[in-house]
Amino acid sequence: MHSTRWRSTHALALSAIAVSGILTATIPGTAAATPVGPDVSSWQHVDGRFIDWFAVRRSGHDFAMVKATEGLNYVNPYFVQDSLLMRAAGVARGTYHYAQPGLPPEPQAALYAATVLGQNGPLDLPPVLDLEITGGLDPARLINWTHRYLDTVQALTGRTPIVYTYPNFWKSAMANTNEFVHYPLWIADYRGNDQPDVPGGWPTWTFWQTTDRGNVPGIAGVTDVNVYSGAQGDFARYANISSPLGSS
């Protein structure tokens, strides 16, 4: 993950429920009842190695989130490779942009949308904004920045974006605003509770990043692991899957 990411520097124990779900999902040939998947960036390509997305899928992981872009000029060098191999393996793909709020939002949204070529194909989850640094903006300006980015990405991709954040950041940097409750929430919370801390007036979470110390077959080293809550309905529909995951 990005070197400044909170989720890469604060590893806490998983809750018993999360552990149970993740262990079930990593037994070869076993599919978890609740969709589970990693999220990856260039950090998971240790020494330039490929991710074996077929092994990821066989171990029961239904989806993965992949870093696409950051700021105004960074594109993950493994993004295209991962996207193609995920599609071949039948792993639903989410993609995210790591926000640099010190830079204008509209060109960042344009870079992201141009890189991912939309998020409307088979096995595509909606776009994700990864918001975890302020770029020196106070809450009012950061809230405005976030609205502008999300509006632009939605216009360019045609799908309602997902917001990734973590509780303390949202409560402080975003003044715990409830202006974004109509966007699905992907929350990072490693405290080991049965449920994550949901800030900002969201009624529930859609994805929960339970750990940054997961072990997923096919991925070298540790990686983040996430679970889908069902808040957006049937996962297959949400990920544009035309046939059940795992079917031939």
Side-chain angles (χ1 to χ4, degrees):
M1 285 305 172
H2 190 278
S3 58
T4 62
R5 294 176 74 85
W6 173 85
R7 62 195 192 191
S8 294
T9 57
H10 293 73
L12 295 175
L14 289 172
S15 68
I17 290 177
V19 169
S20 175
I22 291 167
L23 288 178
T24 300
T26 54
I27 298 172
T30 301
T34 300
V36 175
D39 62 274
V40 302
S41 67
S42 61
W43 293 103
Q44 277 65 49
H45 290 267
V46 179
D47 298 325
R49 280 179 273 175
F50 280 32
I51 291 174
D52 183 346
W53 287 106
F54 291 89
V56 173
R57 183 69 193 95
R58 284 195 302 270
S59 68
H61 290 80
D62 304 298
F63 68 89
M65 305 293 195
V66 183
K67 181 175 183 176
T69 51
E70 177 180 336
L72 293 175
N73 55 20
Y74 175 82
V75 176
N76 175 6
Y78 300 97
F79 177 74
V80 172
Q81 174 192 113
D82 282 334
S83 294
L84 292 173
L85 292 175
M86 289 170 70
R87 179 71 55 88
V91 177
R93 182 191 71 153
T95 68
Y96 66 88
H97 175 78
Y98 185 90
Q100 291 287 352
L103 302 170
E106 290 84 2
Q108 293 190 58
L111 170 66
Y112 166 81
T115 300
V116 302
L117 298 176
Q119 286 289 113
N120 293 293
L123 294 168
D124 273 341
L125 288 160
V128 177
L129 172 63
D130 179 348
L131 185 62
E132 52 186 293
I133 62 173
T134 67
L137 302 184
D138 60 29
R141 290 190 296 160
L142 187 56
I143 289 168
N144 175 264
W145 187 100
T146 304
H147 277 301
R148 289 165 56 195
Y149 179 92
L150 294 171
D151 287 347
T152 305
V153 161
Q154 185 159 357
L156 292 173
T157 66
R159 299 189 76 178
T160 301
I162 298 166
V163 174
Y164 169 92
T165 193
Y166 58 94
N168 289 343
F169 178 85
W170 197 267
K171 291 175 183 178
S172 57
M174 295 289 279
N176 209 29
T177 179
N178 62 3
E179 294 182 23
F180 298 89
V181 294
H182 57 292
Y183 295 102
L185 173 66
W186 176 14
I187 193 70
D189 187 345
Y190 312 153
R191 297 171 306 143
N193 291 354
D194 290 348
Q195 291 291 324
D197 181 6
V198 176
W202 268 286
T204 189
W205 53 276
T206 294
F207 290 97
W208 174 17
Q209 186 178 84
T210 57
T211 182
D212 65 351
R213 296 293 172 184
N215 290 290
V216 175
I219 300 177
V222 297
T223 189
D224 306 334
V225 178
N226 309 271
V227 61
Y228 173 65
S229 70
Q232 307 304 316
D234 178 68
F235 183 79
R237 179 194 58 79
Y238 196 44
N240 288 338
I241 299 169
S242 58
S243 59
L245 283 168
S247 66
S248 56

